Structure formats: C-alpha cells, structure tokens
Amino acid sequence: MDNILRWFLLVVLILTLGCTTKKYVNQKVVPIIDKVNALDQRAASNTRDLATADEVTEKNMAALESRIAEVNENVISARRRAEHASQTANGVSARTDSLANTIKNLDNYQSTGEASVEFPAEGDQLDQKAVATIDEFATRVPGTGDYVLTLEGSTDAAGAPEYNYDLSKRRAQAVARYLATKLRVSPYRIFSVGIGPDKPVAENKTTSGRAKNRRVDISLFTNAPATQANEEPEENAAVK
C-alpha cells in the first residue's frame, strides 16, 4: 500500500512539474519565437525593398545613360551644323571677294548704276514690283560696248544660315535668268553670288527692315576710256 501511494505521488509530481515546465516554456520561449519571426518578416521585406530599389536604380541609370547619349548626339549634330555653316560662310566670303576682284581686274571699269530688287519672305520668285525694278534698271544698260552686271543675293536673318545662303543664291539666279531670257543680256556679262544674311542694309528686328534685307543688289559696270576715267573735262578743269 505504501508503495502504491509513493508511485501515485511520483506520478502526480511528474505531471505537476511537466505542466509547470510547459507553462514556463510558453512564457519564455514563445515570445522569442515571435520576435524571430517578426525579424524574419522584416528582413524579407527589406530584401524585397532593396530588390525594388536596385531595379528602380538600374532603370534610372539606363534612362540617364540614354539621355546623356542623346545630349552628346545633339552636341555633335550642332557642332557639325556650325562647322557646315562656317564653311558655307567662308565659301560665300571667298565668292564675294572673287566677284569684287573680277571687277577690279577689268581695266577702267566704273560703277555706273545700281538697283535693289526686293523679294517676299522665303521667296525666290520675281513679283510684279521686282520685274518693274529690273525693267527700269535695264534702260541704263548699254546695248553695245563693254559692260558687266553683278548680282548679290541677300536674305534677312530669320532661319538657318545654310538655308539663307542657298535662298540668296536662288534669288540672284532668278534675276540673272530674267535678264538673260527676257531682256536678252548676254549671260557671260552677268556675275552672281549669294551672301545670305551677311550684308544687311537695315535692322532685322523690324518687319520693314527684314523686307529691305530680302533683296538682290544689281550693279552695272561700264568700261570708260582712260582719258575719260582719269582726266577732267576742260570746262570742269577751268572752274575750281
């Protein structure tokens, strides 16, 4: 009987200790597990955030590199256009100098008449006013003898330089064609050049100024005898 009682008490004690241990474990261990789980979740969230941040950074870097490449291409393109415009301007300057030298090298040629033919904006066609100006000027062109005509085409300052140089050349050619085909001026007597916006006669800030700059300047040079070019008439020499 005593043995049975001892075994019973031992079982009760074990069960009591087991319950106490389980309760202790629940109180001490479970909160730690919860904290670990929370840390795991936070770490996982941080990992996802870092992955997202890396992806965004990569996209931003790719966009930035693309933008830099585009800017570099624009810079190169602008540099090429500037170099082309500079070369074109140098070419026009050389042609203008050549035109002036052509006249200077012709002995005893003097400027005996000038006219300015105006054009509409961006136009290279002769209107009625332009035709009337050329017709009136042509009355001063001698039918015979030695003479030459120079044509300098110009534009206002609006638009790209290379476009204006080409436009000014076309304007001068339009006047040259009219002189040759309508007024029967021999083509070999006509020298033309396009100088774009490089020789304005008025401010490009106003409408009227730009209109005056859209023009072709015609100059008539005739060959005068040396005595006439260099000596004064007797009646003028007598009066001082």
Side-chain angles (χ1 to χ4, degrees):
M1 187 68 179
D2 291 335
N3 291 333
I4 295 172
L5 181 60
R6 288 193 189 97
W7 281 107
F8 176 76
L9 293 174
L10 181 59
V11 170
V12 171
L13 179 60
I14 292 171
L15 293 175
T16 302
L17 290 174
C19 292
T20 301
T21 301
K22 184 176 181 181
K23 183 177 181 181
Y24 177 82
V25 169
N26 289 335
Q27 291 176 346
K28 299 298 184 180
V29 176
V30 171
I32 295 175
I33 293 174
D34 291 341
K35 290 182 179 180
V36 171
N37 291 336
L39 291 175
D40 287 342
Q41 292 177 356
R42 184 178 300 174
S45 177
N46 290 339
T47 300
R48 289 193 298 270
D49 291 343
L50 288 174
T52 302
D54 289 342
E55 183 179 356
V56 171
T57 300
E58 290 178 359
K59 290 182 179 180
N60 290 339
M61 287 298 295
L64 179 59
E65 291 175 356
S66 176
R67 180 58 179 164
I68 291 174
E70 181 181 352
V71 171
N72 288 338
E73 182 63 27
N74 290 338
V75 170
I76 293 173
S77 178
R79 185 179 302 165
R80 288 173 180 170
R81 289 196 299 270
E83 291 175 352
H84 176 71
S86 178
Q87 292 173 358
T88 303
N90 291 337
V92 169
S93 178
R95 289 194 296 273
T96 303
D97 292 342
S98 176
L99 180 62
N101 290 333
T102 298
I103 303 305
K104 290 178 181 178
N105 291 334
L106 297 175
D107 295 337
N108 300 322
Y109 272 75
Q110 297 179 338
S111 175
T112 55
E114 295 180 346
S116 184
V117 181
E118 295 184 359
F119 286 77
E122 299 185 6
D124 62 356
Q125 302 297 317
L126 300 175
D127 57 17
Q128 292 182 352
K129 181 180 178 181
V131 168
T133 300
I134 300 173
D135 287 344
E136 191 280 329
F137 179 81
T139 61
R140 288 176 274 174
V141 177
T144 59
D146 294 332
Y147 70 92
V148 293
L149 295 171
T150 64
L151 312 177
E152 285 187 356
S154 295
T155 68
D156 58 31
E162 56 268 28
Y163 173 80
N164 284 331
Y165 289 128
D166 180 69
L167 177 59
S168 64
K169 182 179 179 180
R170 287 188 277 117
R171 285 173 175 170
Q173 290 172 344
V175 175
R177 282 194 301 271
Y178 184 82
L179 287 169
T181 59
K182 301 295 184 181
L183 302 181
R184 304 301 181 186
V185 177
S186 298
Y188 69 85
R189 296 184 183 274
I190 303 172
F191 298 86
S192 64
V193 66
I195 59 176
D198 296 341
K199 193 176 177 181
V201 294
E203 289 288 339
N204 280 295
K205 297 179 181 180
T206 64
T207 302
S208 60
R210 289 190 295 272
K212 291 178 181 178
N213 291 331
R214 298 190 295 265
R215 72 194 192 281
V216 171
D217 292 326
I218 310 175
S219 295
L220 171 65
F221 292 85
T222 56
N223 188 8
T227 55
Q228 180 179 346
N230 300 321
E231 298 180 2
E232 294 180 348
E234 291 184 0
E235 60 270 20
N236 291 337
V239 180
K240 295 295 185 179

